[in-house]
Amino acid sequence: VNKKSLFIPIIGENHDGHTFLEDAYNNGCRTFLIDKNHTFNKNDANIIMVDDTTKGFGMISKAYKERYNPFIISVTGSVGKTSTRDIIYSVLKTQYKTLKNEGNLNNNIGIPKTLLNLDKSYKMAVIEMGMNHKGEISYLTDIVNPNMAVISNIGMSHIENLGSMENIFNAKMEITKNFNLNNVLFVNGDDPYLKRVKDRHPLYRVYTYGFNKGNDIYCTNYVIEKDHIDFTVVFNYTEEYFTIPSIAKHNIYNAMAAILVGRMLDIPMPKIKEGLKNFTITKGRLTIINKKYLTIIDDTYNASLDSVKNSLSLLKMVDGRGIFIFGDILEVDGYGEEIHKDIGRECVDDEIDVVICVGNMTKYTYDVIKNNDKEVYYYINNEELLQNIDNILEEGDTILVKGSHSMNLIEVVDYLRKDDDGENL
C-alpha cells in the first residue's frame, strides 16, 4: 500500500483485516474503508465507515464496472461452470478483448477483485458465479448485472446448506433476477430441472443445449480420441463439426453453451471453432499429466456426486489399469453416507481396477467395494496414503485423483508428478 491506496479490511471466517490497519497506515496509506464496529483514529487519514466492508467492496466494484460498461456473460451451475467459463472466454477472445475471473475468484470477494481489472479496452467479460447458500447468486447478480447468463446444470453440490435439489435450482436461477426482454439465458436442456425454464415463459429469451433433439443446439455424434473430442451438432437445421482439447464428454455440453453465446454475439462460426479448439482447461479440473510410466488425471479442485461420476466415466475408457484415488465429498450433510455408497457401487464396475479411498466419508465407499471382490484400499489421511502408494501402482497405470478441495489431494498429485530424484517432470 501507499498514500494513493484505499485499504479495505475484510472480515473473514478466520481473520479480521482490521488487524492490519496500523500496518497499512505505517506504510503510507491514508484512506480506509472500515467496519462501523471498529475504531481507527488518525488525524491525517480519511476514514469511511460502513455497515459491512465486504459489501462496501462490492459496491465499489459495481460502480467501477459501470464506468466501462462491458457486455457481461455470467456462468453458474453445480458442475462444470469453470470449464464453461473458460470455453466461452476462449470463443469470445477470438473477436473481442475479454476479461474473466481466474482460478476460484467466483465469490463476493473474488468477483469484485476481477471487475477492478477492467479498463476501457475490454468489450466483454465472462464472470463465473459460485455459491454455498440461498441469496449469494442474487447478491453477485446485483453487482455484475449480466447481459447473458449460462446455467450448466443442477446437482447436489451444497445440498447441506440448501436442503433440496429444488432449492438448489431456485438459488441458481437467482442469476436472472434483473433480466428483461433484452437478456438471454442459456441452459442445459437435458437437465431435468433446467429444461422446465422455457415452459415458464419468462420475460427474457431462453435457449437450450444438450444431446436431446428438442434443444436449440444438440449433439448428434462424438468421437473421443487420445487427447481431444471431435463432435457434430445440429444448429439452425445445419450440421457443424467441432474439436475440443478434452477427453471428457461433459465438455461437449460446455462447448455447446459457448457456441450459442458466440453466435448470439455475431462471432462467425470459423472463429468459434478456433476458440473451441484452443481453449485451456483450468488446472485441477481433469488436467492430464503424462509421465513416462504413469498418466495422472488431476481433478482435485473440488468434488460432488455428479462430478465424480463424470470423471469416473473418463477413467473407464483408458487403456491399462485405471486407478481411482478418492477423497471425501464435503458439504453433503445427511446425504453423505448414501452419496459415498453410491460412488462405491459405481466403482464396482469392472473397468475400474483399483480404488484408493482417503478421508472419513470414503470409508462408506470402501465398505461397498470390499464386499465385491475388487482391489480397494482405505487410508485415513494423505500422509498414510503416500506412505503406501508406491506399493500399489504399476507401470502404465492411469490414475484419477478426485476429492473436495479441502481434502488437499493436490499433495497426492504433486507426489505422483515427481521422479525418483524428487524433481518435477
mmCIF file with all atom_site columns, all heavy atoms in Angstrom, residues 207-229:
data_model
loop_
_atom_site.group_PDB
_atom_site.id
_atom_site.type_symbol
_atom_site.label_atom_id
_atom_site.label_alt_id
_atom_site.label_comp_id
_atom_site.label_asym_id
_atom_site.label_entity_id
_atom_site.label_seq_id
_atom_site.pdbx_PDB_ins_code
_atom_site.Cartn_x
_atom_site.Cartn_y
_atom_site.Cartn_z
_atom_site.occupancy
_atom_site.B_iso_or_equiv
_atom_site.pdbx_formal_charge
_atom_site.auth_seq_id
_atom_site.auth_comp_id
_atom_site.auth_asym_id
_atom_site.auth_atom_id
_atom_site.pdbx_PDB_model_num
ATOM 1   N N   . TYR A 1 207 ? -32.487 -20.207 -24.398 1.00 0.00 ? 207 TYR A N   1
ATOM 2   C CA  . TYR A 1 207 ? -32.017 -21.161 -25.398 1.00 0.00 ? 207 TYR A CA  1
ATOM 3   C C   . TYR A 1 207 ? -31.422 -22.358 -24.671 1.00 0.00 ? 207 TYR A C   1
ATOM 4   O O   . TYR A 1 207 ? -30.780 -22.212 -23.624 1.00 0.00 ? 207 TYR A O   1
ATOM 5   C CB  . TYR A 1 207 ? -30.969 -20.533 -26.316 1.00 0.00 ? 207 TYR A CB  1
ATOM 6   C CG  . TYR A 1 207 ? -31.522 -19.428 -27.191 1.00 0.00 ? 207 TYR A CG  1
ATOM 7   C CD1 . TYR A 1 207 ? -31.526 -18.107 -26.732 1.00 0.00 ? 207 TYR A CD1 1
ATOM 8   C CD2 . TYR A 1 207 ? -32.053 -19.699 -28.445 1.00 0.00 ? 207 TYR A CD2 1
ATOM 9   C CE1 . TYR A 1 207 ? -32.039 -17.087 -27.522 1.00 0.00 ? 207 TYR A CE1 1
ATOM 10  C CE2 . TYR A 1 207 ? -32.568 -18.683 -29.243 1.00 0.00 ? 207 TYR A CE2 1
ATOM 11  C CZ  . TYR A 1 207 ? -32.559 -17.379 -28.774 1.00 0.00 ? 207 TYR A CZ  1
ATOM 12  O OH  . TYR A 1 207 ? -33.072 -16.374 -29.553 1.00 0.00 ? 207 TYR A OH  1
ATOM 13  N N   . THR A 1 208 ? -31.626 -23.545 -25.241 1.00 0.00 ? 208 THR A N   1
ATOM 14  C CA  . THR A 1 208 ? -31.182 -24.775 -24.588 1.00 0.00 ? 208 THR A CA  1
ATOM 15  C C   . THR A 1 208 ? -30.148 -25.508 -25.446 1.00 0.00 ? 208 THR A C   1
ATOM 16  O O   . THR A 1 208 ? -30.124 -25.375 -26.671 1.00 0.00 ? 208 THR A O   1
ATOM 17  C CB  . THR A 1 208 ? -32.362 -25.723 -24.318 1.00 0.00 ? 208 THR A CB  1
ATOM 18  O OG1 . THR A 1 208 ? -32.960 -26.107 -25.563 1.00 0.00 ? 208 THR A OG1 1
ATOM 19  C CG2 . THR A 1 208 ? -33.416 -25.056 -23.443 1.00 0.00 ? 208 THR A CG2 1
ATOM 20  N N   . TYR A 1 209 ? -29.329 -26.293 -24.771 1.00 0.00 ? 209 TYR A N   1
ATOM 21  C CA  . TYR A 1 209 ? -28.322 -27.117 -25.456 1.00 0.00 ? 209 TYR A CA  1
ATOM 22  C C   . TYR A 1 209 ? -28.287 -28.488 -24.792 1.00 0.00 ? 209 TYR A C   1
ATOM 23  O O   . TYR A 1 209 ? -28.666 -28.644 -23.619 1.00 0.00 ? 209 TYR A O   1
ATOM 24  C CB  . TYR A 1 209 ? -26.945 -26.445 -25.409 1.00 0.00 ? 209 TYR A CB  1
ATOM 25  C CG  . TYR A 1 209 ? -26.441 -26.124 -24.021 1.00 0.00 ? 209 TYR A CG  1
ATOM 26  C CD1 . TYR A 1 209 ? -25.686 -27.045 -23.293 1.00 0.00 ? 209 TYR A CD1 1
ATOM 27  C CD2 . TYR A 1 209 ? -26.714 -24.890 -23.425 1.00 0.00 ? 209 TYR A CD2 1
ATOM 28  C CE1 . TYR A 1 209 ? -25.228 -26.753 -22.020 1.00 0.00 ? 209 TYR A CE1 1
ATOM 29  C CE2 . TYR A 1 209 ? -26.256 -24.586 -22.148 1.00 0.00 ? 209 TYR A CE2 1
ATOM 30  C CZ  . TYR A 1 209 ? -25.508 -25.518 -21.451 1.00 0.00 ? 209 TYR A CZ  1
ATOM 31  O OH  . TYR A 1 209 ? -25.059 -25.231 -20.193 1.00 0.00 ? 209 TYR A OH  1
ATOM 32  N N   . GLY A 1 210 ? -27.843 -29.498 -25.531 1.00 0.00 ? 210 GLY A N   1
ATOM 33  C CA  . GLY A 1 210 ? -27.767 -30.847 -24.976 1.00 0.00 ? 210 GLY A CA  1
ATOM 34  C C   . GLY A 1 210 ? -27.640 -31.891 -26.057 1.00 0.00 ? 210 GLY A C   1
ATOM 35  O O   . GLY A 1 210 ? -27.310 -31.599 -27.214 1.00 0.00 ? 210 GLY A O   1
ATOM 36  N N   . PHE A 1 211 ? -27.937 -33.130 -25.687 1.00 0.00 ? 211 PHE A N   1
ATOM 37  C CA  . PHE A 1 211 ? -27.890 -34.250 -26.635 1.00 0.00 ? 211 PHE A CA  1
ATOM 38  C C   . PHE A 1 211 ? -29.280 -34.614 -27.136 1.00 0.00 ? 211 PHE A C   1
ATOM 39  O O   . PHE A 1 211 ? -29.412 -35.333 -28.122 1.00 0.00 ? 211 PHE A O   1
ATOM 40  C CB  . PHE A 1 211 ? -27.228 -35.470 -25.973 1.00 0.00 ? 211 PHE A CB  1
ATOM 41  C CG  . PHE A 1 211 ? -25.734 -35.343 -25.842 1.00 0.00 ? 211 PHE A CG  1
ATOM 42  C CD1 . PHE A 1 211 ? -25.161 -34.581 -24.836 1.00 0.00 ? 211 PHE A CD1 1
ATOM 43  C CD2 . PHE A 1 211 ? -24.893 -35.992 -26.731 1.00 0.00 ? 211 PHE A CD2 1
ATOM 44  C CE1 . PHE A 1 211 ? -23.788 -34.447 -24.721 1.00 0.00 ? 211 PHE A CE1 1
ATOM 45  C CE2 . PHE A 1 211 ? -23.517 -35.880 -26.636 1.00 0.00 ? 211 PHE A CE2 1
ATOM 46  C CZ  . PHE A 1 211 ? -22.969 -35.102 -25.618 1.00 0.00 ? 211 PHE A CZ  1
ATOM 47  N N   . ASN A 1 212 ? -30.312 -34.139 -26.466 1.00 0.00 ? 212 ASN A N   1
ATOM 48  C CA  . ASN A 1 212 ? -31.680 -34.429 -26.901 1.00 0.00 ? 212 ASN A CA  1
ATOM 49  C C   . ASN A 1 212 ? -32.082 -33.508 -28.047 1.00 0.00 ? 212 ASN A C   1
ATOM 50  O O   . ASN A 1 212 ? -31.763 -32.315 -28.049 1.00 0.00 ? 212 ASN A O   1
ATOM 51  C CB  . ASN A 1 212 ? -32.652 -34.258 -25.727 1.00 0.00 ? 212 ASN A CB  1
ATOM 52  C CG  . ASN A 1 212 ? -32.387 -35.255 -24.614 1.00 0.00 ? 212 ASN A CG  1
ATOM 53  O OD1 . ASN A 1 212 ? -31.924 -36.369 -24.859 1.00 0.00 ? 212 ASN A OD1 1
ATOM 54  N ND2 . ASN A 1 212 ? -32.648 -34.848 -23.374 1.00 0.00 ? 212 ASN A ND2 1
ATOM 55  N N   . LYS A 1 213 ? -32.820 -34.048 -28.998 1.00 0.00 ? 213 LYS A N   1
ATOM 56  C CA  . LYS A 1 213 ? -33.143 -33.312 -30.222 1.00 0.00 ? 213 LYS A CA  1
ATOM 57  C C   . LYS A 1 213 ? -34.040 -32.103 -29.987 1.00 0.00 ? 213 LYS A C   1
ATOM 58  O O   . LYS A 1 213 ? -34.120 -31.216 -30.835 1.00 0.00 ? 213 LYS A O   1
ATOM 59  C CB  . LYS A 1 213 ? -33.789 -34.249 -31.243 1.00 0.00 ? 213 LYS A CB  1
ATOM 60  C CG  . LYS A 1 213 ? -32.825 -35.236 -31.867 1.00 0.00 ? 213 LYS A CG  1
ATOM 61  C CD  . LYS A 1 213 ? -33.491 -36.034 -32.988 1.00 0.00 ? 213 LYS A CD  1
ATOM 62  C CE  . LYS A 1 213 ? -32.491 -36.954 -33.670 1.00 0.00 ? 213 LYS A CE  1
ATOM 63  N NZ  . LYS A 1 213 ? -33.125 -37.714 -34.779 1.00 0.00 ? 213 LYS A NZ  1
ATOM 64  N N   . GLY A 1 214 ? -34.719 -32.043 -28.871 1.00 0.00 ? 214 GLY A N   1
ATOM 65  C CA  . GLY A 1 214 ? -35.588 -30.909 -28.604 1.00 0.00 ? 214 GLY A CA  1
ATOM 66  C C   . GLY A 1 214 ? -34.863 -29.628 -28.260 1.00 0.00 ? 214 GLY A C   1
ATOM 67  O O   . GLY A 1 214 ? -35.480 -28.565 -28.153 1.00 0.00 ? 214 GLY A O   1
ATOM 68  N N   . ASN A 1 215 ? -33.536 -29.677 -28.098 1.00 0.00 ? 215 ASN A N   1
ATOM 69  C CA  . ASN A 1 215 ? -32.758 -28.496 -27.737 1.00 0.00 ? 215 ASN A CA  1
ATOM 70  C C   . ASN A 1 215 ? -32.496 -27.616 -28.953 1.00 0.00 ? 215 ASN A C   1
ATOM 71  O O   . ASN A 1 215 ? -32.521 -28.080 -30.096 1.00 0.00 ? 215 ASN A O   1
ATOM 72  C CB  . ASN A 1 215 ? -31.430 -28.917 -27.112 1.00 0.00 ? 215 ASN A CB  1
ATOM 73  C CG  . ASN A 1 215 ? -31.606 -29.563 -25.749 1.00 0.00 ? 215 ASN A CG  1
ATOM 74  O OD1 . ASN A 1 215 ? -32.120 -28.932 -24.827 1.00 0.00 ? 215 ASN A OD1 1
ATOM 75  N ND2 . ASN A 1 215 ? -31.202 -30.818 -25.616 1.00 0.00 ? 215 ASN A ND2 1
ATOM 76  N N   . ASP A 1 216 ? -32.208 -26.334 -28.695 1.00 0.00 ? 216 ASP A N   1
ATOM 77  C CA  . ASP A 1 216 ? -31.911 -25.403 -29.787 1.00 0.00 ? 216 ASP A CA  1
ATOM 78  C C   . ASP A 1 216 ? -30.619 -25.775 -30.510 1.00 0.00 ? 216 ASP A C   1
ATOM 79  O O   . ASP A 1 216 ? -30.480 -25.518 -31.703 1.00 0.00 ? 216 ASP A O   1
ATOM 80  C CB  . ASP A 1 216 ? -31.816 -23.978 -29.239 1.00 0.00 ? 216 ASP A CB  1
ATOM 81  C CG  . ASP A 1 216 ? -33.156 -23.490 -28.714 1.00 0.00 ? 216 ASP A CG  1
ATOM 82  O OD1 . ASP A 1 216 ? -34.090 -23.357 -29.513 1.00 0.00 ? 216 ASP A OD1 1
ATOM 83  O OD2 . ASP A 1 216 ? -33.280 -23.275 -27.492 1.00 0.00 ? 216 ASP A OD2 1
ATOM 84  N N   . ILE A 1 217 ? -29.669 -26.329 -29.782 1.00 0.00 ? 217 ILE A N   1
ATOM 85  C CA  . ILE A 1 217 ? -28.486 -26.924 -30.385 1.00 0.00 ? 217 ILE A CA  1
ATOM 86  C C   . ILE A 1 217 ? -28.294 -28.280 -29.717 1.00 0.00 ? 217 ILE A C   1
ATOM 87  O O   . ILE A 1 217 ? -28.450 -28.405 -28.501 1.00 0.00 ? 217 ILE A O   1
ATOM 88  C CB  . ILE A 1 217 ? -27.239 -26.031 -30.207 1.00 0.00 ? 217 ILE A CB  1
ATOM 89  C CG1 . ILE A 1 217 ? -26.025 -26.644 -30.906 1.00 0.00 ? 217 ILE A CG1 1
ATOM 90  C CG2 . ILE A 1 217 ? -26.931 -25.750 -28.762 1.00 0.00 ? 217 ILE A CG2 1
ATOM 91  C CD1 . ILE A 1 217 ? -24.806 -25.713 -30.927 1.00 0.00 ? 217 ILE A CD1 1
ATOM 92  N N   . TYR A 1 218 ? -28.040 -29.317 -30.529 1.00 0.00 ? 218 TYR A N   1
ATOM 93  C CA  . TYR A 1 218 ? -27.890 -30.641 -29.925 1.00 0.00 ? 218 TYR A CA  1
ATOM 94  C C   . TYR A 1 218 ? -26.791 -31.417 -30.633 1.00 0.00 ? 218 TYR A C   1
ATOM 95  O O   . TYR A 1 218 ? -26.534 -31.241 -31.831 1.00 0.00 ? 218 TYR A O   1
ATOM 96  C CB  . TYR A 1 218 ? -29.207 -31.415 -29.933 1.00 0.00 ? 218 TYR A CB  1
ATOM 97  C CG  . TYR A 1 218 ? -29.837 -31.652 -31.288 1.00 0.00 ? 218 TYR A CG  1
ATOM 98  C CD1 . TYR A 1 218 ? -29.562 -32.806 -32.023 1.00 0.00 ? 218 TYR A CD1 1
ATOM 99  C CD2 . TYR A 1 218 ? -30.732 -30.722 -31.824 1.00 0.00 ? 218 TYR A CD2 1
ATOM 100 C CE1 . TYR A 1 218 ? -30.151 -33.028 -33.253 1.00 0.00 ? 218 TYR A CE1 1
ATOM 101 C CE2 . TYR A 1 218 ? -31.330 -30.929 -33.056 1.00 0.00 ? 218 TYR A CE2 1
ATOM 102 C CZ  . TYR A 1 218 ? -31.037 -32.085 -33.772 1.00 0.00 ? 218 TYR A CZ  1
ATOM 103 O OH  . TYR A 1 218 ? -31.618 -32.306 -35.002 1.00 0.00 ? 218 TYR A OH  1
ATOM 104 N N   . CYS A 1 219 ? -26.116 -32.248 -29.850 1.00 0.00 ? 219 CYS A N   1
ATOM 105 C CA  . CYS A 1 219 ? -25.016 -33.067 -30.351 1.00 0.00 ? 219 CYS A CA  1
ATOM 106 C C   . CYS A 1 219 ? -25.574 -34.362 -30.919 1.00 0.00 ? 219 CYS A C   1
ATOM 107 O O   . CYS A 1 219 ? -26.361 -35.050 -30.263 1.00 0.00 ? 219 CYS A O   1
ATOM 108 C CB  . CYS A 1 219 ? -24.019 -33.358 -29.229 1.00 0.00 ? 219 CYS A CB  1
ATOM 109 S SG  . CYS A 1 219 ? -22.616 -34.383 -29.735 1.00 0.00 ? 219 CYS A SG  1
ATOM 110 N N   . THR A 1 220 ? -25.159 -34.696 -32.136 1.00 0.00 ? 220 THR A N   1
ATOM 111 C CA  . THR A 1 220 ? -25.640 -35.920 -32.795 1.00 0.00 ? 220 THR A CA  1
ATOM 112 C C   . THR A 1 220 ? -24.604 -37.023 -32.805 1.00 0.00 ? 220 THR A C   1
ATOM 113 O O   . THR A 1 220 ? -24.942 -38.193 -32.951 1.00 0.00 ? 220 THR A O   1
ATOM 114 C CB  . THR A 1 220 ? -26.048 -35.618 -34.242 1.00 0.00 ? 220 THR A CB  1
ATOM 115 O OG1 . THR A 1 220 ? -24.923 -35.053 -34.948 1.00 0.00 ? 220 THR A OG1 1
ATOM 116 C CG2 . THR A 1 220 ? -27.221 -34.647 -34.277 1.00 0.00 ? 220 THR A CG2 1
ATOM 117 N N   . ASN A 1 221 ? -23.326 -36.661 -32.647 1.00 0.00 ? 221 ASN A N   1
ATOM 118 C CA  . ASN A 1 221 ? -22.285 -37.685 -32.730 1.00 0.00 ? 221 ASN A CA  1
ATOM 119 C C   . ASN A 1 221 ? -21.001 -37.135 -32.113 1.00 0.00 ? 221 ASN A C   1
ATOM 120 O O   . ASN A 1 221 ? -20.739 -35.936 -32.168 1.00 0.00 ? 221 ASN A O   1
ATOM 121 C CB  . ASN A 1 221 ? -22.022 -38.060 -34.193 1.00 0.00 ? 221 ASN A CB  1
ATOM 122 C CG  . ASN A 1 221 ? -21.011 -39.195 -34.311 1.00 0.00 ? 221 ASN A CG  1
ATOM 123 O OD1 . ASN A 1 221 ? -21.167 -40.244 -33.711 1.00 0.00 ? 221 ASN A OD1 1
ATOM 124 N ND2 . ASN A 1 221 ? -19.965 -38.966 -35.093 1.00 0.00 ? 221 ASN A ND2 1
ATOM 125 N N   . TYR A 1 222 ? -20.223 -38.008 -31.496 1.00 0.00 ? 222 TYR A N   1
ATOM 126 C CA  . TYR A 1 222 ? -18.923 -37.586 -30.976 1.00 0.00 ? 222 TYR A CA  1
ATOM 127 C C   . TYR A 1 222 ? -17.967 -38.765 -30.959 1.00 0.00 ? 222 TYR A C   1
ATOM 128 O O   . TYR A 1 222 ? -18.381 -39.929 -30.837 1.00 0.00 ? 222 TYR A O   1
ATOM 129 C CB  . TYR A 1 222 ? -19.047 -36.986 -29.576 1.00 0.00 ? 222 TYR A CB  1
ATOM 130 C CG  . TYR A 1 222 ? -19.477 -37.960 -28.500 1.00 0.00 ? 222 TYR A CG  1
ATOM 131 C CD1 . TYR A 1 222 ? -18.536 -38.628 -27.712 1.00 0.00 ? 222 TYR A CD1 1
ATOM 132 C CD2 . TYR A 1 222 ? -20.826 -38.223 -28.274 1.00 0.00 ? 222 TYR A CD2 1
ATOM 133 C CE1 . TYR A 1 222 ? -18.920 -39.515 -26.730 1.00 0.00 ? 222 TYR A CE1 1
ATOM 134 C CE2 . TYR A 1 222 ? -21.218 -39.105 -27.299 1.00 0.00 ? 222 TYR A CE2 1
ATOM 135 C CZ  . TYR A 1 222 ? -20.276 -39.753 -26.524 1.00 0.00 ? 222 TYR A CZ  1
ATOM 136 O OH  . TYR A 1 222 ? -20.662 -40.642 -25.552 1.00 0.00 ? 222 TYR A OH  1
ATOM 137 N N   . VAL A 1 223 ? -16.683 -38.464 -31.110 1.00 0.00 ? 223 VAL A N   1
ATOM 138 C CA  . VAL A 1 223 ? -15.627 -39.485 -31.059 1.00 0.00 ? 223 VAL A CA  1
ATOM 139 C C   . VAL A 1 223 ? -14.546 -38.977 -30.122 1.00 0.00 ? 223 VAL A C   1
ATOM 140 O O   . VAL A 1 223 ? -14.010 -37.875 -30.313 1.00 0.00 ? 223 VAL A O   1
ATOM 141 C CB  . VAL A 1 223 ? -15.022 -39.747 -32.456 1.00 0.00 ? 223 VAL A CB  1
ATOM 142 C CG1 . VAL A 1 223 ? -13.896 -40.778 -32.353 1.00 0.00 ? 223 VAL A CG1 1
ATOM 143 C CG2 . VAL A 1 223 ? -16.092 -40.227 -33.428 1.00 0.00 ? 223 VAL A CG2 1
ATOM 144 N N   . ILE A 1 224 ? -14.247 -39.760 -29.089 1.00 0.00 ? 224 ILE A N   1
ATOM 145 C CA  . ILE A 1 224 ? -13.216 -39.386 -28.120 1.00 0.00 ? 224 ILE A CA  1
ATOM 146 C C   . ILE A 1 224 ? -11.892 -40.005 -28.540 1.00 0.00 ? 224 ILE A C   1
ATOM 147 O O   . ILE A 1 224 ? -11.764 -41.229 -28.613 1.00 0.00 ? 224 ILE A O   1
ATOM 148 C CB  . ILE A 1 224 ? -13.601 -39.839 -26.696 1.00 0.00 ? 224 ILE A CB  1
ATOM 149 C CG1 . ILE A 1 224 ? -14.919 -39.182 -26.267 1.00 0.00 ? 224 ILE A CG1 1
ATOM 150 C CG2 . ILE A 1 224 ? -12.486 -39.481 -25.712 1.00 0.00 ? 224 ILE A CG2 1
ATOM 151 C CD1 . ILE A 1 224 ? -15.414 -39.620 -24.903 1.00 0.00 ? 224 ILE A CD1 1
ATOM 152 N N   . GLU A 1 225 ? -10.929 -39.142 -28.855 1.00 0.00 ? 225 GLU A N   1
ATOM 153 C CA  . GLU A 1 225 ? -9.593  -39.591 -29.231 1.00 0.00 ? 225 GLU A CA  1
ATOM 154 C C   . GLU A 1 225 ? -8.664  -39.494 -28.021 1.00 0.00 ? 225 GLU A C   1
ATOM 155 O O   . GLU A 1 225 ? -9.118  -39.210 -26.914 1.00 0.00 ? 225 GLU A O   1
ATOM 156 C CB  . GLU A 1 225 ? -9.070  -38.723 -30.389 1.00 0.00 ? 225 GLU A CB  1
ATOM 157 C CG  . GLU A 1 225 ? -9.966  -38.711 -31.611 1.00 0.00 ? 225 GLU A CG  1
ATOM 158 C CD  . GLU A 1 225 ? -9.954  -40.020 -32.395 1.00 0.00 ? 225 GLU A CD  1
ATOM 159 O OE1 . GLU A 1 225 ? -9.219  -40.950 -31.999 1.00 0.00 ? 225 GLU A OE1 1
ATOM 160 O OE2 . GLU A 1 225 ? -10.669 -40.106 -33.412 1.00 0.00 ? 225 GLU A OE2 1
ATOM 161 N N   . LYS A 1 226 ? -7.379  -39.702 -28.247 1.00 0.00 ? 226 LYS A N   1
ATOM 162 C CA  . LYS A 1 226 ? -6.428  -39.747 -27.140 1.00 0.00 ? 226 LYS A CA  1
ATOM 163 C C   . LYS A 1 226 ? -6.338  -38.425 -26.393 1.00 0.00 ? 226 LYS A C   1
ATOM 164 O O   . LYS A 1 226 ? -6.211  -38.400 -25.160 1.00 0.00 ? 226 LYS A O   1
ATOM 165 C CB  . LYS A 1 226 ? -5.039  -40.141 -27.660 1.00 0.00 ? 226 LYS A CB  1
ATOM 166 C CG  . LYS A 1 226 ? -4.002  -40.306 -26.552 1.00 0.00 ? 226 LYS A CG  1
ATOM 167 C CD  . LYS A 1 226 ? -2.667  -40.763 -27.116 1.00 0.00 ? 226 LYS A CD  1
ATOM 168 C CE  . LYS A 1 226 ? -1.641  -40.942 -26.002 1.00 0.00 ? 226 LYS A CE  1
ATOM 169 N NZ  . LYS A 1 226 ? -0.316  -41.387 -26.515 1.00 0.00 ? 226 LYS A NZ  1
ATOM 170 N N   . ASP A 1 227 ? -6.407  -37.312 -27.119 1.00 0.00 ? 227 ASP A N   1
ATOM 171 C CA  . ASP A 1 227 ? -6.224  -36.012 -26.474 1.00 0.00 ? 227 ASP A CA  1
ATOM 172 C C   . ASP A 1 227 ? -7.257  -34.972 -26.894 1.00 0.00 ? 227 ASP A C   1
ATOM 173 O O   . ASP A 1 227 ? -7.086  -33.782 -26.660 1.00 0.00 ? 227 ASP A O   1
ATOM 174 C CB  . ASP A 1 227 ? -4.817  -35.469 -26.743 1.00 0.00 ? 227 ASP A CB  1
ATOM 175 C CG  . ASP A 1 227 ? -4.534  -35.318 -28.235 1.00 0.00 ? 227 ASP A CG  1
ATOM 176 O OD1 . ASP A 1 227 ? -5.410  -35.684 -29.054 1.00 0.00 ? 227 ASP A OD1 1
ATOM 177 O OD2 . ASP A 1 227 ? -3.440  -34.833 -28.575 1.00 0.00 ? 227 ASP A OD2 1
ATOM 178 N N   . HIS A 1 228 ? -8.348  -35.412 -27.535 1.00 0.00 ? 228 HIS A N   1
ATOM 179 C CA  . HIS A 1 228 ? -9.374  -34.462 -27.952 1.00 0.00 ? 228 HIS A CA  1
ATOM 180 C C   . HIS A 1 228 ? -10.676 -35.197 -28.261 1.00 0.00 ? 228 HIS A C   1
ATOM 181 O O   . HIS A 1 228 ? -10.715 -36.426 -28.301 1.00 0.00 ? 228 HIS A O   1
ATOM 182 C CB  . HIS A 1 228 ? -8.908  -33.663 -29.177 1.00 0.00 ? 228 HIS A CB  1
ATOM 183 C CG  . HIS A 1 228 ? -8.781  -34.492 -30.422 1.00 0.00 ? 228 HIS A CG  1
ATOM 184 N ND1 . HIS A 1 228 ? -7.645  -35.230 -30.720 1.00 0.00 ? 228 HIS A ND1 1
ATOM 185 C CD2 . HIS A 1 228 ? -9.650  -34.711 -31.456 1.00 0.00 ? 228 HIS A CD2 1
ATOM 186 C CE1 . HIS A 1 228 ? -7.812  -35.850 -31.872 1.00 0.00 ? 228 HIS A CE1 1
ATOM 187 N NE2 . HIS A 1 228 ? -9.021  -35.554 -32.338 1.00 0.00 ? 228 HIS A NE2 1
ATOM 188 N N   . ILE A 1 229 ? -11.729 -34.401 -28.465 1.00 0.00 ? 229 ILE A N   1
ATOM 189 C CA  . ILE A 1 229 ? -13.018 -34.949 -28.891 1.00 0.00 ? 229 ILE A CA  1
ATOM 190 C C   . ILE A 1 229 ? -13.435 -34.237 -30.175 1.00 0.00 ? 229 ILE A C   1
ATOM 191 O O   . ILE A 1 229 ? -13.387 -33.007 -30.261 1.00 0.00 ? 229 ILE A O   1
ATOM 192 C CB  . ILE A 1 229 ? -14.125 -34.732 -27.830 1.00 0.00 ? 229 ILE A CB  1
ATOM 193 C CG1 . ILE A 1 229 ? -13.767 -35.431 -26.513 1.00 0.00 ? 229 ILE A CG1 1
ATOM 194 C CG2 . ILE A 1 229 ? -15.472 -35.241 -28.338 1.00 0.00 ? 229 ILE A CG2 1
ATOM 195 C CD1 . ILE A 1 229 ? -14.780 -35.176 -25.398 1.00 0.00 ? 229 ILE A CD1 1
#
